[in-house]
């Protein structure tokens, strides 16, 4: 179960770090992934995906964690 927590934290920290480095280097974050099957779907990048995935896994972990586990 701790693997889920560690995976979530790794995804979150890597996405945040990559977006921060790009913002420091360029002054902005470049979004380059665009899906056309949704109308007005936001454009995003790979670090954004890792942040969302990490937040989703962390939410699942915290929701279904047994009460006696700390």
């Amino acid at each position: 179960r701790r693997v889920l927590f560690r995976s979530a934290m790794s995804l979150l920290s890597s996405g945040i770090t990559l977006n921060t480095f790009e913002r420091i280097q360029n002054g902005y974050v470049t979004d380059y992934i665009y899906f056309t099957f949704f109308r007005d779907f936001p454009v995003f990048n790979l670090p954004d995906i890792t942040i969302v995935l990490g937040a989703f896994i962390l939410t699942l972990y915290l929701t279904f964690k047994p009460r006696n586990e700390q």
Side-chain angles (χ1 to χ4, degrees):
R1 294 197 57 87
R2 294 192 63 88
V3 171
L4 285 177
F5 180 75
R6 289 181 181 162
S7 298
M9 297 309 289
S10 295
L11 288 168
L12 283 169
S13 63
S14 64
I16 291 168
T17 302
L18 289 171
N19 271 343
T20 302
F21 283 152
E22 188 171 1
R23 185 164 300 277
I24 290 170
Q25 182 180 10
N26 300 333
Y28 57 89
V29 176
T30 305
D31 293 330
Y32 48 84
I33 299 174
Y34 178 69
F35 289 111
T36 57
F37 54 85
F38 289 113
R39 290 185 44 189
D40 299 328
F41 195 76
V43 180
F44 52 94
N45 58 21
L46 190 59
D48 293 341
I49 295 171
T50 62
I51 291 169
V52 170
L53 186 59
F56 179 72
I57 292 171
L58 184 61
T59 301
L60 288 178
Y61 172 78
L62 293 174
T63 301
F64 297 110
K65 174 178 85 162
R67 290 189 186 262
N68 58 359
E69 183 180 334
Q70 292 184 352

